[in-house]
Amino acid sequence: MPRSNPLIHSTLLRHLLLAVVAGVGLFALTGALEPFRNYQLATVAAYLCATAGLTVLTGLNGQLSLGHGALMATGAYTVALTQNALADAGRVSGGYLLFSLAVGVVVTVVAGTVIGAAAARLRGPYLAGVTLAVAVVVPALATTFRGVFNSEQGLPVYLAPAPESLGLYFPYERWQAWIAITGALLTLVLLGNLIRSRFGRNLRAVRDDEVAARLAGIHVGRTQVLAFVVSAGCAGLGGGLLAVLAQSVSPGAFSLTLSLHLLMAIVIGGLGSLVGALWGALLLVALPALTSTITNLATPSPAVAQRLDGNLSLAVFGVTLIVVVIAAPGGVQGLLRRVGRFVGARLRVTAGR
């Protein structure tokens, strides 16, 4: 019988402990926040699922994807259709939401398998072109099949109230934040253990040198497809959580701009790091709010405001990306590591005197 690896068990226990501590702290924090801040926190958690999965695909496996917004749309629409079908059947308890999210992840994994199988045969701009096509085609399906997806108006998403055990007047936004935080922590635990497993080492080996990976006995194509499948599942969960938070889904929420934002977020946060994915998720929520504040302070004319709508946030992301790449090539997380090493070195020098 194969022996269990004690290192894997210790890593899993450590990640579970961190997740429990973080969950308790975040759940307590939601009690001190106003409803809008809870909504923002929940949105960060939903985006974190997608950025963490994209970090595994791009940062650890070296596959460039411009279509993760479409994968999030797949999960969001699946959750919407499943929730509405369950509500029509009279099954409205909160437990069915877990089933809907699971269905969203499974459908997105199937889509990711198909895309990943094609992507594994492509490199460089050809791979980017395929994922770019996915980002454009998938939202367009919502307008093509109007009877199912209700075109640009989108679909409502039924969400049952918070369980009565939490209290009759338990804040709805706080309940949404708890759902999103739980999903994000579960994603981080799973990915954290996956990265430190043999599969994670295979991902990095394929990213660094495919020829050397083949010589080492690694099936390159299978590894790349599995990386895309894992990343797609995370994106589907993130999209499903966004649908739950907004209680509606529409093509405009999952445009090509979202895919570009996700990619820029993981680069700015720090490629190849789950903590960098967290920084990226924070930026996805903070920068649009910052650009909205700038627009309101500038008080532009209606014509100028219409032109800036949707474009200013992308421009701010682009400028931030250029600054980070020049000043801190490792992203925000890489910069913090450098600062930490510098401070540690200074403290050791001071202690040695």
Side-chain angles (χ1 to χ4, degrees), residues 18-209:
L18 289 174
V20 169
V21 172
V24 171
L26 290 172
F27 280 15
L29 178 63
T30 58
L33 297 177
E34 59 186 28
F36 179 67
R37 297 304 178 190
N38 272 328
Y39 176 80
Q40 286 186 313
L41 178 61
T43 306
V44 170
Y47 279 133
L48 178 56
C49 296
T51 55
L54 187 56
T55 292
V56 171
L57 179 67
T58 303
L60 294 178
N61 193 229
Q63 296 188 75
L64 177 64
S65 173
L66 299 176
H68 262 54
L71 294 174
M72 292 184 71
T74 303
Y77 272 98
T78 302
V79 169
L81 293 170
T82 307
Q83 279 291 99
N84 294 339
L86 291 173
D88 293 339
R91 300 177 179 180
V92 296
S93 65
Y96 286 105
L97 176 60
L98 297 177
F99 173 76
S100 298
L101 290 172
V103 172
V105 171
V106 170
V107 171
T108 312
V109 162
V110 173
T113 303
V114 175
I115 300 170
R121 301 173 180 271
L122 302 173
R123 300 292 183 272
Y126 302 102
L127 173 59
V130 168
T131 56
L132 178 63
V134 172
V136 174
V137 169
V138 170
L141 293 176
T143 58
T144 303
F145 299 96
R146 298 183 179 182
V148 179
F149 303 112
N150 198 26
S151 189
E152 293 290 344
Q153 285 72 37
L155 297 172
V157 180
Y158 176 81
L159 180 63
E164 295 181 359
S165 58
L166 295 176
L168 186 60
Y169 301 103
F170 192 83
Y172 198 66
E173 293 79 5
R174 189 178 177 188
W175 171 236
Q176 289 178 312
W178 282 20
I179 295 172
I181 290 170
T182 302
L185 291 177
L186 179 61
T187 300
L188 291 178
V189 169
L190 293 177
L191 291 182
N193 285 279
L194 189 68
I195 289 171
R196 286 163 178 79
S197 67
R198 179 179 179 180
F199 178 68
R201 293 191 294 272
N202 290 348
L203 290 177
R204 288 185 285 270
V206 171
R207 176 198 61 189
D208 295 338
D209 193 324

